[in-house]
């Protein structure tokens, strides 16, 4: 009779191991599904952010083009009048900063 009890204990132990493995499989399935869903959301968010960034970059390119034209006209007028306009220097700095930053932003957004 001792052998039968021993066999039953082994059988029970084997079933526990099998159930534990099934439980682990379910955990990994859940983790992968949840992670995949989260990654898809991040990818969607990133696509939307890039799209917004590209639109803003295009808008600022147009602003920059107009600002350069106005800057050129204003510089010539100030030179003709012999006056100093501090805003010219400020706008030059803003244009320069934008154009430098645009290079790195273009790499990220395109």
């Amino acid at each position: 009779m001792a052998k039968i009890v021993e066999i039953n204990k082994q059988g029970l132990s084997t079933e526990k191991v099998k159930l534990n493995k099934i439980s682990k499989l379910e955990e990994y399935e859940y983790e992968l599904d949840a992670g995949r869903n989260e990654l898809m959301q991040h990818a969607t968010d990133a696509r939307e952010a890039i799209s917004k960034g590209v639109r803003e970059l295009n808008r600022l390119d147009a602003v920059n083009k107009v600002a350069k034209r106005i800057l050129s006209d204003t510089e010539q007028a100030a030179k003709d009048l012999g006056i100093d306009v501090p805003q010219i220097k400020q706008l030059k700095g803003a244009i320069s900063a934008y154009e430098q930053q645009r290079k790195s932003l273009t790499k990220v957004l395109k």
Side-chain angles (χ1 to χ4, degrees):
M1 183 109 179
K3 286 185 180 182
I4 294 173
V5 172
E6 192 175 306
I7 290 172
N8 284 341
K9 285 182 182 176
Q10 282 182 335
L12 220 79
S13 175
T14 303
E15 291 302 316
K16 276 183 160 178
V17 169
K18 287 180 184 176
L19 289 175
N20 190 28
K21 286 183 180 180
I22 291 172
S23 175
K24 283 289 184 194
L25 291 175
E26 290 171 343
E27 286 177 31
Y28 283 108
E29 176 190 8
Y30 173 80
E31 189 67 32
L32 287 169
D33 285 343
R36 187 176 45 81
N37 288 334
E38 190 173 335
L39 280 173
M40 290 303 293
Q41 186 59 52
H42 289 312
T44 299
D45 294 346
R47 272 186 246 124
E48 289 173 4
I50 288 171
S51 178
K52 287 178 183 177
V54 168
R55 280 193 305 272
E56 183 63 9
L57 185 65
N58 290 337
R59 186 187 77 77
L60 288 176
D61 282 346
V63 169
N64 188 49
K65 184 177 178 181
V66 171
K68 283 178 155 181
R69 188 169 23 90
I70 291 172
L71 176 65
S72 177
D73 293 347
T74 306
E75 276 183 311
Q76 186 59 49
K79 185 178 178 182
D80 290 347
L81 293 172
I83 60 171
D84 183 36
V85 180
Q87 290 83 356
I88 290 174
K89 185 177 179 182
Q90 293 170 338
L91 182 56
K92 280 183 177 182
I95 289 171
S96 177
Y98 170 71
E99 289 177 348
Q100 286 177 359
Q101 195 169 25
R102 186 188 187 288
K103 292 174 188 176
S104 62
L105 290 173
T106 302
K107 290 177 186 176
V108 172
L109 295 174
K110 302 220 175 179

